[in-house]
Amino acid sequence: MSQLAIRVLRLLGKSPRYVLHRALAETRAELDRFVQPRRTRTFNVRQLLSLTGDADLSSLWDRLASQTWPLASAAVHAAELDRVSPGASLRILERAERACRREIDLLGSGPVRLGARIAWDTDFKTGDRWPAGYFRSIGLVQRDRPSDVKMPWELSRMQWLLPAAQAYLLTGEERYAEAAREVLEQWMAANPVGNSVNWGIAMEPAMRILVWIWLFRAFARARAWEDVQFRGRLLCCLYQHGAFVARYLERADVNGNHFTADCVALVVAGAFFGGATRKWLLSAWEDLEREIGRQLLADGVDFEASAAYHRLVAELFLLAGVFAEHAGLKMSAQYRERLAAAARFTVAYRKSDGSAPLWGDADDARALPLGTAPLGQHGHLIASVATVLDDRELLALARDGWEEVLWLFGAVPPAPPAHAPPAPGCAAFDRGGAYVLRAGRAHVFIDCGPVGLAGRGGHGHNDILSFEADLDGSAVVSDAGCYVYTASFEDRNRFRATAAHNTPQIDEEEINRFISPDLLWFLRDDARPLGAVVREEGDCVLFSGGHGGYERLADPVQVWRTIALRRDGRRLTVTDRFKGRSAHRVRVPLQLALGWRPHALQAARVEFCNDAGRELEICWSGTGEWRCAEVTGDIAPSYGVLRQAPRLRWDAAGPIGDLSLTVEISIRSP
């Protein structure tokens, strides 16, 4: 399907007002094809000064460097950093050395040396390049080759350069400032405003704004940054980043994380430059106050149905709130409530080891990553929200993440109250459709919610009734995760499909139908959640719920699942039942977590073991004739990374009302 056909398909069903808005925006952007190059060439320091109200470049630089700032940018003491996160200073210095060597490890690439001249227009995993030219003329997605536009985009976000600034604040060594300046000089020379792949969507310059301003605050007084020509180029380019985002704001009829990132960047850039750019701040803040009530649901769950995007969006809204209040605006009561609710959802979905479930899409995105915790750890979000809101309950629930709080805000809050709240228990997030069971050291995360992005699909998967489970502190059942986006349309669709998740599938149909294999972020809104509830029963805590995704079939079917976790945290029982009349084929998969290997197989019973000496026993029974097969499943623990682990699969066929399956999973120590 052509890109034009995809655009036309996406516009179908939109309101006339929205179609008109898009038509006008498209027309303006096409006219900019002829205006943008001249606008870029002629913009200079004199024009920037007229916008900011400063007398000269030196005055502007000094004002920007010395103005009060809501984020920390002063020297950091290694001893204090290591106190809140042992070994953090050494980890920062090691990362800084890699940045100075221009060595990256992004999106599953493994260590890559970029070389003396960085190829900003290249997928550094495959070598594919994008042509220079007006950003609207560059084909970002090419199905006929395994290129991934996220590679040059992630490289150009320059978050990998942040450790160099942190190392400078720790040591004061000028070589870090010199290395950062050389990278910025190269980027500006290779990426004229609006004329490279790295201007393909407004979110990319928006994310750079957050990083570049943090780099400026760290290096503004460094000797390596004293050159007047460099200062002028940097500030002019940074302003043009803001102007580009403001002009090509990714506003849609349903906005997601792209629009949020655009608005947050305008709030930060407006607070940074002041003067005429304050209009960016005011307009974007008005949008964010409205969007937080749409994107972060009342129970705190991000409506895109993804743990990774929940973190990103909450980080973005939090940064905007901090800068807005610094600029004299106020977070509304709803804004503060939604941030706190987002943090409480994060408390709930974190496992005993602090990691997040592989729920929905994940592309490793962060707003301003300054900590050194593993990518899958989300504790910093809880700690940061608790600090900004001065929420004593959240402060007590924040087990870690203080390293990032220190880098962001310059200090760590005092110790939480002596009488901390009880450890998180079971939880039901009915608006977002996420459910959590806890007992002992066990944690079970279950999806029984709507399609992501308000029924569009977005970063949500076909995973209703799917679950992840840790038993007695060990990861036992895993989601497949999210492997890649445009690098492989086939893999993109495979990892978001029903068959990739721990949920029953009827007649090999999708729970929510794909609109087109080329529409990588869209699904039909077929699966209506049914009767989801978390309750206690005997010696178990349990979830029960269903969905109507297969009610569209000629012979309709409802799928119902009960997940019971025993209170000792060592046994999990999953029972699937089906409501319908005719015969169907049913498949129930179970993806084990990484690290398990087969140990023994008997009739209706299989055992696995791991290197920690733990043993896992899985037994099953049911009505109907179920055949169990042991296969190998793919898991993407992070973007671009592929691992394999055992996967069980039960198949049966017959009258649907006569079928049921109960799977019991037990773990035991050596």
Short mmCIF file of all heavy atoms in Angstrom, two decimals, residues 274-334:
data_model
loop_
_atom_site.label_atom_id
_atom_site.label_comp_id
_atom_site.label_asym_id
_atom_site.label_seq_id
_atom_site.Cartn_x
_atom_site.Cartn_y
_atom_site.Cartn_z
N GLY A 274 12.75 32.93 26.88
CA GLY A 274 11.98 34.08 27.33
C GLY A 274 11.62 34.97 26.15
O GLY A 274 11.64 34.56 24.99
N GLY A 275 11.32 36.22 26.42
CA GLY A 275 10.99 37.15 25.36
C GLY A 275 9.78 36.70 24.57
O GLY A 275 8.79 36.22 25.12
N ALA A 276 9.87 36.79 23.23
CA ALA A 276 8.75 36.44 22.37
C ALA A 276 8.42 34.96 22.43
O ALA A 276 7.30 34.56 22.07
CB ALA A 276 9.06 36.86 20.94
N THR A 277 9.39 34.15 22.88
CA THR A 277 9.12 32.70 22.91
C THR A 277 8.20 32.31 24.06
O THR A 277 7.79 31.15 24.14
CB THR A 277 10.43 31.89 23.01
OG1 THR A 277 11.03 32.12 24.29
CG2 THR A 277 11.40 32.27 21.91
N ARG A 278 7.88 33.24 24.94
CA ARG A 278 6.96 32.89 26.03
C ARG A 278 5.60 32.45 25.48
O ARG A 278 4.89 31.68 26.13
CB ARG A 278 6.79 34.07 26.98
CG ARG A 278 5.94 33.72 28.21
CD ARG A 278 5.95 34.83 29.25
NE ARG A 278 5.00 34.56 30.32
CZ ARG A 278 5.24 33.78 31.37
NH1 ARG A 278 6.42 33.20 31.49
NH2 ARG A 278 4.31 33.59 32.31
N LYS A 279 5.29 32.89 24.27
CA LYS A 279 4.01 32.45 23.66
C LYS A 279 4.04 30.94 23.42
O LYS A 279 2.99 30.29 23.46
CB LYS A 279 3.76 33.20 22.36
CG LYS A 279 4.77 32.91 21.25
CD LYS A 279 4.52 33.75 20.01
CE LYS A 279 5.56 33.45 18.92
NZ LYS A 279 5.37 34.30 17.73
N TRP A 280 5.23 30.39 23.13
CA TRP A 280 5.32 28.93 23.01
C TRP A 280 4.91 28.28 24.32
O TRP A 280 4.13 27.34 24.34
CB TRP A 280 6.75 28.50 22.68
CG TRP A 280 7.31 28.93 21.37
CD1 TRP A 280 6.61 29.43 20.31
CD2 TRP A 280 8.69 28.89 20.98
NE1 TRP A 280 7.47 29.71 19.28
CE2 TRP A 280 8.75 29.39 19.66
CE3 TRP A 280 9.86 28.50 21.60
CZ2 TRP A 280 9.96 29.48 18.96
CZ3 TRP A 280 11.06 28.58 20.92
CH2 TRP A 280 11.11 29.07 19.62
N LEU A 281 5.48 28.79 25.39
CA LEU A 281 5.22 28.21 26.71
C LEU A 281 3.74 28.27 27.05
O LEU A 281 3.15 27.27 27.48
CB LEU A 281 6.06 28.96 27.74
CG LEU A 281 6.08 28.46 29.19
CD1 LEU A 281 7.33 28.95 29.89
CD2 LEU A 281 4.87 28.91 29.98
N LEU A 282 3.13 29.43 26.88
CA LEU A 282 1.74 29.60 27.29
C LEU A 282 0.80 28.72 26.48
O LEU A 282 -0.10 28.08 27.02
CB LEU A 282 1.34 31.07 27.15
CG LEU A 282 2.10 32.05 28.06
CD1 LEU A 282 1.71 33.49 27.74
CD2 LEU A 282 1.82 31.74 29.52
N SER A 283 1.00 28.69 25.15
CA SER A 283 0.12 27.89 24.30
C SER A 283 0.31 26.40 24.56
O SER A 283 -0.67 25.65 24.67
CB SER A 283 0.42 28.21 22.83
OG SER A 283 -0.36 27.39 21.98
N ALA A 284 1.56 25.97 24.66
CA ALA A 284 1.82 24.55 24.87
C ALA A 284 1.33 24.10 26.24
O ALA A 284 0.83 22.98 26.40
CB ALA A 284 3.32 24.26 24.72
N TRP A 285 1.49 24.95 27.25
CA TRP A 285 1.03 24.58 28.58
C TRP A 285 -0.49 24.41 28.60
O TRP A 285 -1.03 23.51 29.25
CB TRP A 285 1.47 25.61 29.61
CG TRP A 285 0.99 25.29 31.00
CD1 TRP A 285 0.14 26.01 31.77
CD2 TRP A 285 1.34 24.14 31.78
NE1 TRP A 285 -0.07 25.40 32.98
CE2 TRP A 285 0.66 24.25 33.01
CE3 TRP A 285 2.15 23.04 31.56
CZ2 TRP A 285 0.77 23.29 34.01
CZ3 TRP A 285 2.27 22.08 32.55
CH2 TRP A 285 1.58 22.21 33.77
N GLU A 286 -1.19 25.27 27.89
CA GLU A 286 -2.65 25.14 27.80
C GLU A 286 -3.02 23.79 27.18
O GLU A 286 -3.95 23.11 27.64
CB GLU A 286 -3.21 26.29 26.95
CG GLU A 286 -4.72 26.30 26.84
CD GLU A 286 -5.23 27.47 26.02
OE1 GLU A 286 -4.48 28.46 25.85
OE2 GLU A 286 -6.38 27.39 25.55
N ASP A 287 -2.27 23.39 26.14
CA ASP A 287 -2.52 22.09 25.52
C ASP A 287 -2.24 20.95 26.49
O ASP A 287 -3.00 19.98 26.57
CB ASP A 287 -1.66 21.93 24.27
CG ASP A 287 -2.23 22.63 23.06
OD1 ASP A 287 -3.46 22.65 22.91
OD2 ASP A 287 -1.45 23.16 22.25
N LEU A 288 -1.15 21.03 27.23
CA LEU A 288 -0.77 19.95 28.14
C LEU A 288 -1.75 19.81 29.29
O LEU A 288 -2.04 18.69 29.73
CB LEU A 288 0.65 20.18 28.67
CG LEU A 288 1.77 19.99 27.65
CD1 LEU A 288 3.09 20.46 28.22
CD2 LEU A 288 1.87 18.53 27.21
N GLU A 289 -2.25 20.92 29.79
CA GLU A 289 -3.26 20.85 30.86
C GLU A 289 -4.50 20.11 30.37
O GLU A 289 -5.14 19.39 31.15
CB GLU A 289 -3.64 22.26 31.31
CG GLU A 289 -2.71 22.86 32.36
CD GLU A 289 -3.04 22.35 33.76
OE1 GLU A 289 -3.79 21.36 33.89
OE2 GLU A 289 -2.55 22.95 34.73
N ARG A 290 -4.80 20.25 29.11
CA ARG A 290 -5.96 19.54 28.55
C ARG A 290 -5.60 18.08 28.26
O ARG A 290 -6.38 17.17 28.55
CB ARG A 290 -6.42 20.24 27.27
CG ARG A 290 -7.62 19.59 26.60
CD ARG A 290 -8.13 20.46 25.46
NE ARG A 290 -7.08 20.79 24.50
CZ ARG A 290 -6.54 22.00 24.38
NH1 ARG A 290 -6.92 23.00 25.15
NH2 ARG A 290 -5.60 22.23 23.48
N GLU A 291 -4.40 17.85 27.71
CA GLU A 291 -4.02 16.50 27.28
C GLU A 291 -3.80 15.54 28.44
O GLU A 291 -4.04 14.34 28.30
CB GLU A 291 -2.76 16.57 26.41
CG GLU A 291 -2.99 17.07 25.01
CD GLU A 291 -3.94 16.18 24.21
OE1 GLU A 291 -3.84 14.94 24.33
OE2 GLU A 291 -4.78 16.72 23.49
N ILE A 292 -3.32 16.04 29.57
CA ILE A 292 -3.02 15.11 30.66
C ILE A 292 -4.29 14.40 31.13
O ILE A 292 -4.24 13.24 31.54
CB ILE A 292 -2.31 15.82 31.83
CG1 ILE A 292 -1.63 14.77 32.74
CG2 ILE A 292 -3.28 16.70 32.63
CD1 ILE A 292 -0.70 15.37 33.76
N GLY A 293 -5.44 15.07 31.02
CA GLY A 293 -6.70 14.45 31.40
C GLY A 293 -7.19 13.44 30.38
O GLY A 293 -8.06 12.62 30.69
N ARG A 294 -6.64 13.50 29.17
CA ARG A 294 -7.03 12.56 28.13
C ARG A 294 -6.07 11.37 28.05
O ARG A 294 -6.49 10.23 27.82
CB ARG A 294 -7.08 13.27 26.77
CG ARG A 294 -8.11 14.38 26.68
CD ARG A 294 -7.95 15.17 25.39
NE ARG A 294 -9.00 16.18 25.23
CZ ARG A 294 -9.02 17.09 24.26
NH1 ARG A 294 -8.06 17.10 23.35
NH2 ARG A 294 -10.00 17.97 24.20
N GLN A 295 -4.79 11.66 28.22
CA GLN A 295 -3.78 10.61 28.00
C GLN A 295 -3.49 9.81 29.26
O GLN A 295 -3.27 8.60 29.18
CB GLN A 295 -2.50 11.24 27.46
CG GLN A 295 -2.67 11.87 26.09
CD GLN A 295 -1.36 12.34 25.49
OE1 GLN A 295 -0.31 11.74 25.70
NE2 GLN A 295 -1.40 13.44 24.75
N LEU A 296 -3.42 10.47 30.41
CA LEU A 296 -3.27 9.75 31.67
C LEU A 296 -4.67 9.62 32.27
O LEU A 296 -5.25 10.60 32.73
CB LEU A 296 -2.34 10.49 32.63
CG LEU A 296 -0.86 10.53 32.21
CD1 LEU A 296 -0.04 11.30 33.24
CD2 LEU A 296 -0.29 9.13 32.04
N LEU A 297 -5.20 8.42 32.25
CA LEU A 297 -6.58 8.20 32.69
C LEU A 297 -6.70 8.44 34.19
O LEU A 297 -5.71 8.59 34.90
CB LEU A 297 -7.00 6.79 32.32
CG LEU A 297 -6.88 6.45 30.82
CD1 LEU A 297 -7.22 4.99 30.55
CD2 LEU A 297 -7.76 7.37 29.98
N ALA A 298 -7.92 8.47 34.67
CA ALA A 298 -8.15 8.83 36.07
C ALA A 298 -7.44 7.89 37.04
O ALA A 298 -7.08 8.29 38.14
CB ALA A 298 -9.66 8.83 36.36
N ASP A 299 -7.21 6.64 36.63
CA ASP A 299 -6.50 5.71 37.51
C ASP A 299 -4.99 5.75 37.28
O ASP A 299 -4.25 4.95 37.85
CB ASP A 299 -7.02 4.29 37.35
CG ASP A 299 -7.00 3.79 35.90
OD1 ASP A 299 -6.34 4.42 35.06
OD2 ASP A 299 -7.64 2.76 35.61
N GLY A 300 -4.53 6.67 36.44
CA GLY A 300 -3.09 6.87 36.25
C GLY A 300 -2.49 6.13 35.09
O GLY A 300 -1.30 6.31 34.79
N VAL A 301 -3.24 5.29 34.39
CA VAL A 301 -2.69 4.49 33.30
C VAL A 301 -2.66 5.31 32.01
O VAL A 301 -3.66 5.93 31.64
CB VAL A 301 -3.54 3.22 33.08
CG1 VAL A 301 -2.95 2.35 31.98
CG2 VAL A 301 -3.66 2.43 34.38
N ASP A 302 -1.50 5.30 31.34
CA ASP A 302 -1.41 5.98 30.05
C ASP A 302 -2.29 5.25 29.03
O ASP A 302 -2.24 4.03 28.91
CB ASP A 302 0.04 6.00 29.57
CG ASP A 302 0.17 6.59 28.17
OD1 ASP A 302 -0.38 7.67 27.94
OD2 ASP A 302 0.81 5.95 27.31
N PHE A 303 -3.05 6.01 28.27
CA PHE A 303 -4.06 5.39 27.40
C PHE A 303 -3.46 4.71 26.17
O PHE A 303 -4.19 4.14 25.36
CB PHE A 303 -5.12 6.42 27.00
CG PHE A 303 -4.77 7.33 25.85
CD1 PHE A 303 -5.74 7.71 24.94
CD2 PHE A 303 -3.49 7.83 25.68
CE1 PHE A 303 -5.44 8.56 23.88
CE2 PHE A 303 -3.18 8.67 24.62
CZ PHE A 303 -4.15 9.03 23.72
N GLU A 304 -2.15 4.72 26.03
CA GLU A 304 -1.53 4.04 24.89
C GLU A 304 -1.26 2.56 25.20
O GLU A 304 -0.73 1.84 24.35
CB GLU A 304 -0.25 4.75 24.46
CG GLU A 304 -0.53 6.14 23.91
CD GLU A 304 0.60 6.68 23.05
OE1 GLU A 304 0.92 6.05 22.04
OE2 GLU A 304 1.15 7.74 23.39
N ALA A 305 -1.59 2.10 26.41
CA ALA A 305 -1.53 0.67 26.77
C ALA A 305 -0.14 0.09 26.61
O ALA A 305 0.06 -0.95 25.98
CB ALA A 305 -2.55 -0.13 25.96
N SER A 306 0.84 0.75 27.20
CA SER A 306 2.23 0.31 27.14
C SER A 306 2.93 0.80 28.38
O SER A 306 2.84 1.99 28.72
CB SER A 306 2.92 0.88 25.89
OG SER A 306 4.31 0.97 26.06
N ALA A 307 3.67 -0.10 29.06
CA ALA A 307 4.41 0.32 30.25
C ALA A 307 5.52 1.28 29.90
O ALA A 307 5.77 2.27 30.60
CB ALA A 307 4.98 -0.91 30.96
N ALA A 308 6.23 1.03 28.79
CA ALA A 308 7.35 1.89 28.41
C ALA A 308 6.86 3.29 28.03
O ALA A 308 7.49 4.29 28.38
CB ALA A 308 8.11 1.27 27.25
N TYR A 309 5.76 3.37 27.30
CA TYR A 309 5.24 4.68 26.92
C TYR A 309 4.56 5.37 28.10
O TYR A 309 4.51 6.60 28.15
CB TYR A 309 4.31 4.56 25.72
CG TYR A 309 5.10 4.45 24.43
CD1 TYR A 309 5.48 3.21 23.94
CD2 TYR A 309 5.52 5.57 23.74
CE1 TYR A 309 6.24 3.09 22.78
CE2 TYR A 309 6.27 5.48 22.58
CZ TYR A 309 6.63 4.23 22.11
OH TYR A 309 7.40 4.13 20.97
N HIS A 310 4.05 4.59 29.04
CA HIS A 310 3.55 5.19 30.28
C HIS A 310 4.68 5.95 30.96
O HIS A 310 4.50 7.09 31.41
CB HIS A 310 3.00 4.10 31.20
CG HIS A 310 2.65 4.59 32.56
ND1 HIS A 310 1.43 5.15 32.86
CD2 HIS A 310 3.37 4.62 33.71
CE1 HIS A 310 1.41 5.51 34.14
NE2 HIS A 310 2.58 5.19 34.68
N ARG A 311 5.85 5.32 31.06
CA ARG A 311 6.98 6.00 31.68
C ARG A 311 7.35 7.26 30.92
O ARG A 311 7.54 8.33 31.51
CB ARG A 311 8.19 5.07 31.73
CG ARG A 311 9.46 5.77 32.19
CD ARG A 311 10.65 4.86 32.28
NE ARG A 311 11.03 4.28 30.98
CZ ARG A 311 12.07 3.50 30.80
NH1 ARG A 311 12.84 3.18 31.83
NH2 ARG A 311 12.35 3.00 29.61
N LEU A 312 7.49 7.17 29.59
CA LEU A 312 7.89 8.32 28.79
C LEU A 312 6.91 9.47 28.95
O LEU A 312 7.31 10.63 29.19
CB LEU A 312 7.99 7.92 27.32
CG LEU A 312 8.22 9.08 26.33
CD1 LEU A 312 9.56 9.75 26.58
CD2 LEU A 312 8.10 8.60 24.89
N VAL A 313 5.62 9.19 28.80
CA VAL A 313 4.61 10.24 28.85
C VAL A 313 4.56 10.88 30.24
O VAL A 313 4.47 12.11 30.37
CB VAL A 313 3.24 9.68 28.44
CG1 VAL A 313 2.12 10.64 28.78
CG2 VAL A 313 3.23 9.36 26.95
N ALA A 314 4.65 10.07 31.29
CA ALA A 314 4.64 10.63 32.64
C ALA A 314 5.88 11.49 32.88
O ALA A 314 5.79 12.55 33.51
CB ALA A 314 4.57 9.50 33.67
N GLU A 315 7.04 11.05 32.39
CA GLU A 315 8.25 11.88 32.50
C GLU A 315 8.05 13.22 31.81
O GLU A 315 8.44 14.28 32.35
CB GLU A 315 9.43 11.16 31.85
CG GLU A 315 9.98 9.98 32.60
CD GLU A 315 11.10 9.29 31.84
OE1 GLU A 315 11.26 9.54 30.62
OE2 GLU A 315 11.83 8.50 32.46
N LEU A 316 7.47 13.20 30.62
CA LEU A 316 7.27 14.43 29.86
C LEU A 316 6.32 15.38 30.58
O LEU A 316 6.61 16.58 30.72
CB LEU A 316 6.74 14.09 28.46
CG LEU A 316 7.74 13.43 27.50
CD1 LEU A 316 7.03 12.87 26.29
CD2 LEU A 316 8.82 14.43 27.08
N PHE A 317 5.18 14.87 31.02
CA PHE A 317 4.24 15.72 31.73
C PHE A 317 4.87 16.28 33.01
O PHE A 317 4.62 17.44 33.38
CB PHE A 317 2.96 14.95 32.07
CG PHE A 317 1.98 14.86 30.95
CD1 PHE A 317 1.61 13.63 30.41
CD2 PHE A 317 1.39 16.00 30.42
CE1 PHE A 317 0.68 13.54 29.38
CE2 PHE A 317 0.48 15.93 29.38
CZ PHE A 317 0.12 14.69 28.86
N LEU A 318 5.68 15.49 33.68
CA LEU A 318 6.32 15.96 34.91
C LEU A 318 7.29 17.10 34.62
O LEU A 318 7.28 18.13 35.31
CB LEU A 318 7.06 14.81 35.59
CG LEU A 318 7.77 15.16 36.91
CD1 LEU A 318 6.75 15.54 37.97
CD2 LEU A 318 8.63 14.00 37.39
N LEU A 319 8.13 16.95 33.59
CA LEU A 319 9.06 18.02 33.23
C LEU A 319 8.32 19.30 32.89
O LEU A 319 8.71 20.40 33.32
CB LEU A 319 9.91 17.59 32.03
CG LEU A 319 11.11 16.70 32.30
CD1 LEU A 319 11.81 16.36 30.99
CD2 LEU A 319 12.11 17.38 33.24
N ALA A 320 7.25 19.18 32.11
CA ALA A 320 6.48 20.38 31.74
C ALA A 320 5.91 21.06 32.97
O ALA A 320 5.93 22.29 33.08
CB ALA A 320 5.36 20.00 30.78
N GLY A 321 5.40 20.27 33.93
CA GLY A 321 4.85 20.86 35.14
C GLY A 321 5.90 21.61 35.94
O GLY A 321 5.63 22.70 36.46
N VAL A 322 7.10 21.05 36.02
CA VAL A 322 8.19 21.71 36.75
C VAL A 322 8.53 23.04 36.10
O VAL A 322 8.69 24.07 36.78
CB VAL A 322 9.42 20.79 36.79
CG1 VAL A 322 10.65 21.54 37.29
CG2 VAL A 322 9.15 19.57 37.68
N PHE A 323 8.65 23.07 34.78
CA PHE A 323 9.03 24.30 34.08
C PHE A 323 7.89 25.31 34.08
O PHE A 323 8.14 26.53 34.17
CB PHE A 323 9.47 23.98 32.66
CG PHE A 323 10.90 23.56 32.56
CD1 PHE A 323 11.24 22.23 32.66
CD2 PHE A 323 11.91 24.50 32.41
CE1 PHE A 323 12.57 21.83 32.60
CE2 PHE A 323 13.23 24.11 32.34
CZ PHE A 323 13.58 22.77 32.44
N ALA A 324 6.66 24.85 33.97
CA ALA A 324 5.53 25.78 33.99
C ALA A 324 5.46 26.50 35.33
O ALA A 324 5.28 27.73 35.38
CB ALA A 324 4.23 25.04 33.71
N GLU A 325 5.60 25.77 36.42
CA GLU A 325 5.55 26.41 37.74
C GLU A 325 6.73 27.35 37.94
O GLU A 325 6.60 28.40 38.56
CB GLU A 325 5.48 25.35 38.82
CG GLU A 325 4.19 24.53 38.77
CD GLU A 325 3.69 24.10 40.13
OE1 GLU A 325 4.53 23.83 41.01
OE2 GLU A 325 2.45 24.04 40.32
N HIS A 326 7.88 26.98 37.41
CA HIS A 326 9.04 27.86 37.49
C HIS A 326 8.77 29.18 36.74
O HIS A 326 9.26 30.24 37.14
CB HIS A 326 10.27 27.17 36.91
CG HIS A 326 11.48 28.03 36.84
ND1 HIS A 326 12.21 28.38 37.97
CD2 HIS A 326 12.11 28.64 35.79
CE1 HIS A 326 13.23 29.15 37.61
NE2 HIS A 326 13.17 29.32 36.31
N ALA A 327 7.98 29.09 35.67
CA ALA A 327 7.67 30.28 34.87
C ALA A 327 6.49 31.07 35.41
O ALA A 327 6.04 32.02 34.78
CB ALA A 327 7.40 29.86 33.42
N GLY A 328 5.98 30.70 36.58
CA GLY A 328 4.91 31.46 37.20
C GLY A 328 3.53 30.92 36.96
O GLY A 328 2.54 31.51 37.42
N LEU A 329 3.42 29.79 36.25
CA LEU A 329 2.14 29.15 36.05
C LEU A 329 1.94 28.11 37.14
O LEU A 329 2.83 27.84 37.93
CB LEU A 329 2.08 28.51 34.67
CG LEU A 329 2.37 29.46 33.50
CD1 LEU A 329 2.43 28.70 32.19
CD2 LEU A 329 1.34 30.58 33.42
N LYS A 330 0.79 27.49 37.17
CA LYS A 330 0.50 26.51 38.21
C LYS A 330 -0.05 25.23 37.59
O LYS A 330 -0.87 25.28 36.67
CB LYS A 330 -0.52 27.06 39.22
CG LYS A 330 0.02 28.17 40.11
CD LYS A 330 1.10 27.66 41.06
CE LYS A 330 1.57 28.75 41.99
NZ LYS A 330 2.68 28.27 42.86
N MET A 331 0.41 24.11 38.11
CA MET A 331 -0.23 22.85 37.75
C MET A 331 -1.61 22.82 38.39
O MET A 331 -1.75 23.07 39.59
CB MET A 331 0.60 21.66 38.25
CG MET A 331 1.88 21.41 37.50
SD MET A 331 2.71 19.87 38.03
CE MET A 331 3.64 20.47 39.45
N SER A 332 -2.62 22.50 37.60
CA SER A 332 -3.96 22.40 38.13
C SER A 332 -4.06 21.21 39.08
O SER A 332 -3.19 20.33 39.11
CB SER A 332 -4.97 22.23 37.00
OG SER A 332 -4.76 20.97 36.35
N ALA A 333 -5.15 21.17 39.84
CA ALA A 333 -5.36 20.03 40.73
C ALA A 333 -5.42 18.73 39.94
O ALA A 333 -4.86 17.71 40.35
CB ALA A 333 -6.65 20.23 41.53
N GLN A 334 -6.08 18.75 38.78
CA GLN A 334 -6.15 17.54 37.96
C GLN A 334 -4.76 17.14 37.48
O GLN A 334 -4.42 15.94 37.47
CB GLN A 334 -7.05 17.75 36.73
CG GLN A 334 -7.05 16.53 35.82
CD GLN A 334 -7.82 16.71 34.54
OE1 GLN A 334 -8.88 16.12 34.35
NE2 GLN A 334 -7.31 17.53 33.63
#
